[in-house]
Amino acid sequence: MVVGLQSPAQANFWFIQGRVLFLIIPILGTALFAYIVARRLMPLIRAQRDLRFDRPLIRLERVLKFWLGQWKHPRYRFAGTIHILIFAGFILLATRAFTLLTQGASPSFVMPGLSGEAGHVYGIITDYAATIVFLCMIVAAIRRIVFKPARYAVPARYGKGHPIDAIFLLALIAILMVADSLFLGSKAVADAQQGQSVEFLAVLSLPWALKSLLLSSSMATLQGLYLGAFLTHELTFFFLLCYRPFGIQFHVETPLFTIYFAKLDREILKPVRWGVPDEGLDQVKSFGVKSFEDFTWKHMLDFYSCADCGRCSDNCPSNAVGRPLSPRFLSIKARDYAFQHYPVFSRSRNGNSKPLIGSIYSEDEVWSCTTCGACEEECPLLVEYIDKMVDLRRGLIDDGNVPQSLQKPLKALESRGNPYGKMEKKRAEWAKTADFQQVCHVKTLDKSNGAETLYFVDSITSYDERMQSIGRATAKILDHIGENFGILGSAEKDSGHEVRRFGEEMLFIALRDHNVDAIKTLGVKRIVTADPHAYNALKHDYKDVPPVEHISQVIAREVKAGKIRFNPVEKDLVYTYHDPCYLGRHNQIYDDPRDVLDAIPGLKRVEMSRCRDRSFCCGGGGLMLFYEPKEDQRMGVKRVQMAAEAGANVIVTACPFCMANIEDAIKVAGMEGKMTAIDLAELVDKQVARE
Ligand code: SF4
Ligand code: SF4
């Protein structure tokens, strides 16, 4: 008869004493893991600099929010809840796993602080944690095998999916939970049979269920299960640890660091080279990313951390309209490249510096991005895409690979300061129409003719006949509220916002420096613009210019102060507001335009399913007005359909680029007469109650 259970440390496994075996397995497992991780870090060591060591407290706060607090996961309610449960389970079980592993060599080990009553409470909590994690594994496996959410699918052009890998990982975790629970359950039954005090197992938990199943088992069976469960737990734990850096499951370890080092000023574009000032760019031999090693170490860490959850691509407008771009695969392909070219167990191919374009990425893929930021907004791990896109474009531009359709606008920007190639002296002609001049006079500022406020118009509003109406409406609003304002006229050049996102850094610098010099000579106290792209450039890309506001902010403030009142709108129209990416996602201006609309008497407003930080790009960002992408459908058409589905017949936006795309899309979708578009400034100018 067996008296009490023999502990794993006392038992012999294949003639090796447990105490020795369970010392060797953790040492070997940890050493192997350390070696694998060191190998995985090799490309990061060879990568470009990235200065991410500032503001540690803010970074820690973000770790607490986005890693520990899983802040973004509930954006996908079901999958997010499962993830939070698994994550919380892992965190709770970490101490129990460590205790169990240590008890292999030292059976009496108890985690400090977890003896006595505290240990019992912790035991109950972790019994439930193991149960929840186990059940979540089953649910996740059913989702992968049976329901297969569309965002997990791998389109043929991106290779094959790896559902078996995913199932294998889920199975390993499930085995870990069962082994842990069986260890406790078999011990509890044996202790009860021997008349010893029995550790309380949480009712209806997995250990409790296994205990109930084993109640009539013999001591010999219980002994076998007890030791088998311990050995299985030990081996599975270290196998999992060392297996994870070989695939998507590496994201279990890396996100803590990815989130800690995540970009704090998301709206500021990455410099060409960290630590190289603009004046030193002439000395930089190669711009942007051409080979894998041109990525920064943080961007490589992003590749390792991507969980392949598909949320970024699910929200990417380029992906939605069939352009050859899916941000998820931008990461997955780069991660596969790193694994292939920096193998763990061979040094033969390390760092072969192949050009990325043509091997893992295509030119169309890189040009298809509108820099809308939807992917970054959605990613629960704060993986960055826009900087990578811009860096890849910088590399292409540096090698002279400019898409045909963009060559002309770029040349025009260089020679004339606008993408249309129009004369500088015609820049202010929008303000010179006879009708307009009867109601509003816009002065052109210079050293001798000053004003408090500069209205920065930018190219599209200055030269595009349709958008000039937005310029006139903006000027009339500023005039109505008594603003002492003026424009730069022919001294203004394009803000360079799109040029920079297109990857033409030197041209951007030339445009920026010209505008900054021109603005500085005026001595204005603030800048107003109706163009979110200009707003973003002036606010984040320019330095040493006065504070800038978008016209929607100015109007909202004046409405609140009672300086702007409105006449009622026609009652039978239903309005919806389209958030421009560079006003909403990039600058968090969501409420001001809505507040203005809601202040107009009789205006009925509905929200589209994708609004605010999930707004769907119109397709205009990053010089996209001039680029002819390969796509199944225009983004604007999709957006107009969303407005119609919401029951709207007027789309209000606050960006000339959005206006160009949306009006065009209304025609393409055959919805003329059923749907119209209007800029917020135009609507305000139309409805404002003038004395
Ligand atoms: S980048 Fe982020 S959102 Fe996209 S698949 Fe990876 S983890 Fe998911
Ligand atoms: S920035 Fe927008 S278009 Fe570009 S990859 Fe992200 S979601 Fe897609």
Side-chain angles (χ1 to χ4, degrees), residues 164-192:
I164 303 295
D165 281 3
I167 304 296
F168 183 54
L169 180 69
L170 296 174
L172 284 177
I173 298 171
I175 289 171
L176 208 58
M177 297 302 119
V178 171
D180 171 299
S181 302
L182 185 60
F183 181 73
L184 294 177
S186 54
K187 178 153 189 340
V189 178
D191 286 347

PDB file of all heavy atoms in Angstrom, residues 164-192:
ATOM      1  N   ILE A 164      -3.139  25.467 -38.431  1.00  0.00           N
ATOM      2  CA  ILE A 164      -2.645  24.337 -37.623  1.00  0.00           C
ATOM      3  C   ILE A 164      -1.756  24.866 -36.493  1.00  0.00           C
ATOM      4  O   ILE A 164      -1.825  24.410 -35.353  1.00  0.00           O
ATOM      5  CB  ILE A 164      -1.861  23.331 -38.518  1.00  0.00           C
ATOM      6  CG1 ILE A 164      -2.751  22.842 -39.666  1.00  0.00           C
ATOM      7  CG2 ILE A 164      -1.315  22.166 -37.704  1.00  0.00           C
ATOM      8  CD1 ILE A 164      -3.956  22.036 -39.252  1.00  0.00           C
ATOM      9  N   ASP A 165      -0.913  25.863 -36.837  1.00  0.00           N
ATOM     10  CA  ASP A 165      -0.036  26.467 -35.815  1.00  0.00           C
ATOM     11  C   ASP A 165      -0.871  27.025 -34.674  1.00  0.00           C
ATOM     12  O   ASP A 165      -0.556  26.852 -33.493  1.00  0.00           O
ATOM     13  CB  ASP A 165       0.770  27.626 -36.410  1.00  0.00           C
ATOM     14  CG  ASP A 165       1.948  27.133 -37.211  1.00  0.00           C
ATOM     15  OD1 ASP A 165       2.065  25.906 -37.333  1.00  0.00           O
ATOM     16  OD2 ASP A 165       2.711  27.971 -37.719  1.00  0.00           O
ATOM     17  N   ALA A 166      -1.937  27.735 -35.092  1.00  0.00           N
ATOM     18  CA  ALA A 166      -2.789  28.373 -34.082  1.00  0.00           C
ATOM     19  C   ALA A 166      -3.434  27.322 -33.193  1.00  0.00           C
ATOM     20  O   ALA A 166      -3.448  27.450 -31.959  1.00  0.00           O
ATOM     21  CB  ALA A 166      -3.846  29.227 -34.766  1.00  0.00           C
ATOM     22  N   ILE A 167      -3.945  26.259 -33.814  1.00  0.00           N
ATOM     23  CA  ILE A 167      -4.607  25.204 -33.035  1.00  0.00           C
ATOM     24  C   ILE A 167      -3.592  24.517 -32.119  1.00  0.00           C
ATOM     25  O   ILE A 167      -3.879  24.201 -30.961  1.00  0.00           O
ATOM     26  CB  ILE A 167      -5.268  24.152 -33.979  1.00  0.00           C
ATOM     27  CG1 ILE A 167      -6.258  24.830 -34.941  1.00  0.00           C
ATOM     28  CG2 ILE A 167      -5.944  23.033 -33.187  1.00  0.00           C
ATOM     29  CD1 ILE A 167      -7.446  25.476 -34.322  1.00  0.00           C
ATOM     30  N   PHE A 168      -2.377  24.285 -32.658  1.00  0.00           N
ATOM     31  CA  PHE A 168      -1.328  23.634 -31.872  1.00  0.00           C
ATOM     32  C   PHE A 168      -1.015  24.453 -30.621  1.00  0.00           C
ATOM     33  O   PHE A 168      -0.899  23.921 -29.519  1.00  0.00           O
ATOM     34  CB  PHE A 168      -0.076  23.469 -32.751  1.00  0.00           C
ATOM     35  CG  PHE A 168       1.056  22.739 -32.082  1.00  0.00           C
ATOM     36  CD1 PHE A 168       0.860  21.478 -31.522  1.00  0.00           C
ATOM     37  CD2 PHE A 168       2.326  23.307 -32.003  1.00  0.00           C
ATOM     38  CE1 PHE A 168       1.905  20.798 -30.902  1.00  0.00           C
ATOM     39  CE2 PHE A 168       3.371  22.636 -31.384  1.00  0.00           C
ATOM     40  CZ  PHE A 168       3.157  21.380 -30.837  1.00  0.00           C
ATOM     41  N   LEU A 169      -0.916  25.768 -30.809  1.00  0.00           N
ATOM     42  CA  LEU A 169      -0.619  26.647 -29.670  1.00  0.00           C
ATOM     43  C   LEU A 169      -1.750  26.580 -28.643  1.00  0.00           C
ATOM     44  O   LEU A 169      -1.497  26.462 -27.434  1.00  0.00           O
ATOM     45  CB  LEU A 169      -0.434  28.090 -30.161  1.00  0.00           C
ATOM     46  CG  LEU A 169      -0.119  29.095 -29.057  1.00  0.00           C
ATOM     47  CD1 LEU A 169       1.269  28.869 -28.489  1.00  0.00           C
ATOM     48  CD2 LEU A 169      -0.224  30.531 -29.575  1.00  0.00           C
ATOM     49  N   LEU A 170      -2.986  26.635 -29.130  1.00  0.00           N
ATOM     50  CA  LEU A 170      -4.131  26.568 -28.213  1.00  0.00           C
ATOM     51  C   LEU A 170      -4.111  25.241 -27.458  1.00  0.00           C
ATOM     52  O   LEU A 170      -4.373  25.184 -26.251  1.00  0.00           O
ATOM     53  CB  LEU A 170      -5.449  26.700 -28.995  1.00  0.00           C
ATOM     54  CG  LEU A 170      -5.685  28.041 -29.718  1.00  0.00           C
ATOM     55  CD1 LEU A 170      -6.945  27.981 -30.573  1.00  0.00           C
ATOM     56  CD2 LEU A 170      -5.781  29.191 -28.723  1.00  0.00           C
ATOM     57  N   ALA A 171      -3.777  24.152 -28.189  1.00  0.00           N
ATOM     58  CA  ALA A 171      -3.749  22.822 -27.567  1.00  0.00           C
ATOM     59  C   ALA A 171      -2.678  22.764 -26.476  1.00  0.00           C
ATOM     60  O   ALA A 171      -2.903  22.202 -25.386  1.00  0.00           O
ATOM     61  CB  ALA A 171      -3.491  21.761 -28.629  1.00  0.00           C
ATOM     62  N   LEU A 172      -1.516  23.349 -26.752  1.00  0.00           N
ATOM     63  CA  LEU A 172      -0.431  23.329 -25.757  1.00  0.00           C
ATOM     64  C   LEU A 172      -0.859  24.039 -24.473  1.00  0.00           C
ATOM     65  O   LEU A 172      -0.598  23.563 -23.360  1.00  0.00           O
ATOM     66  CB  LEU A 172       0.816  24.003 -26.324  1.00  0.00           C
ATOM     67  CG  LEU A 172       1.636  23.198 -27.336  1.00  0.00           C
ATOM     68  CD1 LEU A 172       2.793  24.038 -27.857  1.00  0.00           C
ATOM     69  CD2 LEU A 172       2.189  21.919 -26.708  1.00  0.00           C
ATOM     70  N   ILE A 173      -1.521  25.181 -24.651  1.00  0.00           N
ATOM     71  CA  ILE A 173      -1.952  25.931 -23.467  1.00  0.00           C
ATOM     72  C   ILE A 173      -3.021  25.132 -22.711  1.00  0.00           C
ATOM     73  O   ILE A 173      -3.015  25.068 -21.476  1.00  0.00           O
ATOM     74  CB  ILE A 173      -2.465  27.337 -23.853  1.00  0.00           C
ATOM     75  CG1 ILE A 173      -1.328  28.132 -24.501  1.00  0.00           C
ATOM     76  CG2 ILE A 173      -3.001  28.086 -22.643  1.00  0.00           C
ATOM     77  CD1 ILE A 173      -1.751  29.447 -25.123  1.00  0.00           C
ATOM     78  N   ALA A 174      -3.911  24.500 -23.470  1.00  0.00           N
ATOM     79  CA  ALA A 174      -4.953  23.684 -22.827  1.00  0.00           C
ATOM     80  C   ALA A 174      -4.310  22.538 -22.039  1.00  0.00           C
ATOM     81  O   ALA A 174      -4.710  22.236 -20.903  1.00  0.00           O
ATOM     82  CB  ALA A 174      -5.917  23.147 -23.876  1.00  0.00           C
ATOM     83  N   ILE A 175      -3.281  21.912 -22.640  1.00  0.00           N
ATOM     84  CA  ILE A 175      -2.583  20.802 -21.950  1.00  0.00           C
ATOM     85  C   ILE A 175      -1.971  21.318 -20.641  1.00  0.00           C
ATOM     86  O   ILE A 175      -2.039  20.659 -19.599  1.00  0.00           O
ATOM     87  CB  ILE A 175      -1.495  20.192 -22.874  1.00  0.00           C
ATOM     88  CG1 ILE A 175      -2.165  19.412 -24.009  1.00  0.00           C
ATOM     89  CG2 ILE A 175      -0.533  19.303 -22.094  1.00  0.00           C
ATOM     90  CD1 ILE A 175      -1.202  18.948 -25.091  1.00  0.00           C
ATOM     91  N   LEU A 176      -1.391  22.507 -20.718  1.00  0.00           N
ATOM     92  CA  LEU A 176      -0.780  23.113 -19.528  1.00  0.00           C
ATOM     93  C   LEU A 176      -1.825  23.277 -18.416  1.00  0.00           C
ATOM     94  O   LEU A 176      -1.565  22.960 -17.245  1.00  0.00           O
ATOM     95  CB  LEU A 176      -0.207  24.483 -19.924  1.00  0.00           C
ATOM     96  CG  LEU A 176       0.975  25.029 -19.147  1.00  0.00           C
ATOM     97  CD1 LEU A 176       2.153  24.078 -19.188  1.00  0.00           C
ATOM     98  CD2 LEU A 176       1.392  26.382 -19.724  1.00  0.00           C
ATOM     99  N   MET A 177      -2.990  23.737 -18.785  1.00  0.00           N
ATOM    100  CA  MET A 177      -4.048  23.959 -17.787  1.00  0.00           C
ATOM    101  C   MET A 177      -4.532  22.631 -17.209  1.00  0.00           C
ATOM    102  O   MET A 177      -4.759  22.505 -16.004  1.00  0.00           O
ATOM    103  CB  MET A 177      -5.243  24.708 -18.418  1.00  0.00           C
ATOM    104  CG  MET A 177      -4.932  26.089 -18.913  1.00  0.00           C
ATOM    105  SD  MET A 177      -4.277  27.167 -17.628  1.00  0.00           S
ATOM    106  CE  MET A 177      -2.666  27.562 -18.276  1.00  0.00           C
ATOM    107  N   VAL A 178      -4.693  21.628 -18.091  1.00  0.00           N
ATOM    108  CA  VAL A 178      -5.183  20.325 -17.619  1.00  0.00           C
ATOM    109  C   VAL A 178      -4.139  19.683 -16.706  1.00  0.00           C
ATOM    110  O   VAL A 178      -4.473  19.142 -15.640  1.00  0.00           O
ATOM    111  CB  VAL A 178      -5.522  19.400 -18.819  1.00  0.00           C
ATOM    112  CG1 VAL A 178      -5.826  17.985 -18.341  1.00  0.00           C
ATOM    113  CG2 VAL A 178      -6.703  19.966 -19.600  1.00  0.00           C
ATOM    114  N   ALA A 179      -2.864  19.762 -17.108  1.00  0.00           N
ATOM    115  CA  ALA A 179      -1.802  19.143 -16.307  1.00  0.00           C
ATOM    116  C   ALA A 179      -1.744  19.786 -14.920  1.00  0.00           C
ATOM    117  O   ALA A 179      -1.664  19.087 -13.890  1.00  0.00           O
ATOM    118  CB  ALA A 179      -0.462  19.297 -17.026  1.00  0.00           C
ATOM    119  N   ASP A 180      -1.815  21.093 -14.903  1.00  0.00           N
ATOM    120  CA  ASP A 180      -1.793  21.830 -13.634  1.00  0.00           C
ATOM    121  C   ASP A 180      -2.970  21.391 -12.756  1.00  0.00           C
ATOM    122  O   ASP A 180      -2.822  21.105 -11.558  1.00  0.00           O
ATOM    123  CB  ASP A 180      -1.856  23.327 -13.978  1.00  0.00           C
ATOM    124  CG  ASP A 180      -2.066  24.225 -12.781  1.00  0.00           C
ATOM    125  OD1 ASP A 180      -3.101  24.080 -12.120  1.00  0.00           O
ATOM    126  OD2 ASP A 180      -1.197  25.086 -12.526  1.00  0.00           O
ATOM    127  N   SER A 181      -4.129  21.280 -13.359  1.00  0.00           N
ATOM    128  CA  SER A 181      -5.340  20.950 -12.597  1.00  0.00           C
ATOM    129  C   SER A 181      -5.337  19.489 -12.153  1.00  0.00           C
ATOM    130  O   SER A 181      -5.788  19.153 -11.049  1.00  0.00           O
ATOM    131  CB  SER A 181      -6.583  21.231 -13.452  1.00  0.00           C
ATOM    132  OG  SER A 181      -6.592  22.571 -13.843  1.00  0.00           O
ATOM    133  N   LEU A 182      -4.817  18.616 -13.023  1.00  0.00           N
ATOM    134  CA  LEU A 182      -4.772  17.190 -12.687  1.00  0.00           C
ATOM    135  C   LEU A 182      -3.819  16.951 -11.517  1.00  0.00           C
ATOM    136  O   LEU A 182      -4.076  16.120 -10.636  1.00  0.00           O
ATOM    137  CB  LEU A 182      -4.318  16.406 -13.925  1.00  0.00           C
ATOM    138  CG  LEU A 182      -4.313  14.890 -13.817  1.00  0.00           C
ATOM    139  CD1 LEU A 182      -5.719  14.371 -13.505  1.00  0.00           C
ATOM    140  CD2 LEU A 182      -3.812  14.248 -15.112  1.00  0.00           C
ATOM    141  N   PHE A 183      -2.735  17.693 -11.511  1.00  0.00           N
ATOM    142  CA  PHE A 183      -1.763  17.604 -10.421  1.00  0.00           C
ATOM    143  C   PHE A 183      -2.461  17.901  -9.085  1.00  0.00           C
ATOM    144  O   PHE A 183      -2.332  17.155  -8.116  1.00  0.00           O
ATOM    145  CB  PHE A 183      -0.632  18.612 -10.701  1.00  0.00           C
ATOM    146  CG  PHE A 183       0.460  18.619  -9.676  1.00  0.00           C
ATOM    147  CD1 PHE A 183       1.370  17.575  -9.598  1.00  0.00           C
ATOM    148  CD2 PHE A 183       0.587  19.683  -8.775  1.00  0.00           C
ATOM    149  CE1 PHE A 183       2.382  17.587  -8.646  1.00  0.00           C
ATOM    150  CE2 PHE A 183       1.597  19.688  -7.832  1.00  0.00           C
ATOM    151  CZ  PHE A 183       2.496  18.648  -7.764  1.00  0.00           C
ATOM    152  N   LEU A 184      -3.248  18.973  -9.068  1.00  0.00           N
ATOM    153  CA  LEU A 184      -3.950  19.357  -7.836  1.00  0.00           C
ATOM    154  C   LEU A 184      -5.071  18.381  -7.497  1.00  0.00           C
ATOM    155  O   LEU A 184      -5.253  17.981  -6.342  1.00  0.00           O
ATOM    156  CB  LEU A 184      -4.538  20.766  -7.992  1.00  0.00           C
ATOM    157  CG  LEU A 184      -3.547  21.916  -8.124  1.00  0.00           C
ATOM    158  CD1 LEU A 184      -4.285  23.221  -8.333  1.00  0.00           C
ATOM    159  CD2 LEU A 184      -2.663  22.016  -6.883  1.00  0.00           C
ATOM    160  N   GLY A 185      -5.818  17.991  -8.547  1.00  0.00           N
ATOM    161  CA  GLY A 185      -6.977  17.113  -8.334  1.00  0.00           C
ATOM    162  C   GLY A 185      -6.566  15.757  -7.792  1.00  0.00           C
ATOM    163  O   GLY A 185      -7.159  15.242  -6.826  1.00  0.00           O
ATOM    164  N   SER A 186      -5.523  15.146  -8.389  1.00  0.00           N
ATOM    165  CA  SER A 186      -5.101  13.813  -7.945  1.00  0.00           C
ATOM    166  C   SER A 186      -4.557  13.880  -6.519  1.00  0.00           C
ATOM    167  O   SER A 186      -4.788  12.978  -5.709  1.00  0.00           O
ATOM    168  CB  SER A 186      -4.065  13.229  -8.910  1.00  0.00           C
ATOM    169  OG  SER A 186      -2.989  14.121  -9.067  1.00  0.00           O
ATOM    170  N   LYS A 187      -3.856  14.960  -6.203  1.00  0.00           N
ATOM    171  CA  LYS A 187      -3.324  15.097  -4.836  1.00  0.00           C
ATOM    172  C   LYS A 187      -4.472  15.224  -3.830  1.00  0.00           C
ATOM    173  O   LYS A 187      -4.432  14.619  -2.747  1.00  0.00           O
ATOM    174  CB  LYS A 187      -2.407  16.319  -4.754  1.00  0.00           C
ATOM    175  CG  LYS A 187      -1.855  16.548  -3.348  1.00  0.00           C
ATOM    176  CD  LYS A 187      -0.548  17.257  -3.373  1.00  0.00           C
ATOM    177  CE  LYS A 187       0.165  17.338  -2.030  1.00  0.00           C
ATOM    178  NZ  LYS A 187      -0.578  17.164  -0.831  1.00  0.00           N
ATOM    179  N   ALA A 188      -5.481  15.994  -4.199  1.00  0.00           N
ATOM    180  CA  ALA A 188      -6.608  16.193  -3.278  1.00  0.00           C
ATOM    181  C   ALA A 188      -7.301  14.864  -2.988  1.00  0.00           C
ATOM    182  O   ALA A 188      -7.640  14.555  -1.834  1.00  0.00           O
ATOM    183  CB  ALA A 188      -7.589  17.199  -3.872  1.00  0.00           C
ATOM    184  N   VAL A 189      -7.499  14.031  -4.020  1.00  0.00           N
ATOM    185  CA  VAL A 189      -8.172  12.734  -3.816  1.00  0.00           C
ATOM    186  C   VAL A 189      -7.293  11.834  -2.944  1.00  0.00           C
ATOM    187  O   VAL A 189      -7.772  11.194  -1.991  1.00  0.00           O
ATOM    188  CB  VAL A 189      -8.480  12.063  -5.175  1.00  0.00           C
ATOM    189  CG1 VAL A 189      -9.123  10.704  -4.958  1.00  0.00           C
ATOM    190  CG2 VAL A 189      -9.387  12.946  -6.027  1.00  0.00           C
ATOM    191  N   ALA A 190      -5.985  11.800  -3.266  1.00  0.00           N
ATOM    192  CA  ALA A 190      -5.073  10.948  -2.493  1.00  0.00           C
ATOM    193  C   ALA A 190      -5.043  11.379  -1.028  1.00  0.00           C
ATOM    194  O   ALA A 190      -5.110  10.537  -0.113  1.00  0.00           O
ATOM    195  CB  ALA A 190      -3.675  11.014  -3.106  1.00  0.00           C
ATOM    196  N   ASP A 191      -4.975  12.684  -0.797  1.00  0.00           N
ATOM    197  CA  ASP A 191      -4.945  13.185   0.583  1.00  0.00           C
ATOM    198  C   ASP A 191      -6.221  12.788   1.320  1.00  0.00           C
ATOM    199  O   ASP A 191      -6.181  12.378   2.483  1.00  0.00           O
ATOM    200  CB  ASP A 191      -4.802  14.719   0.596  1.00  0.00           C
ATOM    201  CG  ASP A 191      -3.379  15.157   0.236  1.00  0.00           C
ATOM    202  OD1 ASP A 191      -2.484  14.279   0.230  1.00  0.00           O
ATOM    203  OD2 ASP A 191      -3.171  16.349  -0.052  1.00  0.00           O
ATOM    204  N   ALA A 192      -7.351  12.872   0.624  1.00  0.00           N
ATOM    205  CA  ALA A 192      -8.628  12.505   1.248  1.00  0.00           C
ATOM    206  C   ALA A 192      -8.643  11.025   1.586  1.00  0.00           C
ATOM    207  O   ALA A 192      -9.063  10.617   2.680  1.00  0.00           O
ATOM    208  CB  ALA A 192      -9.781  12.863   0.319  1.00  0.00           C
TER     209      ALA A 192
END
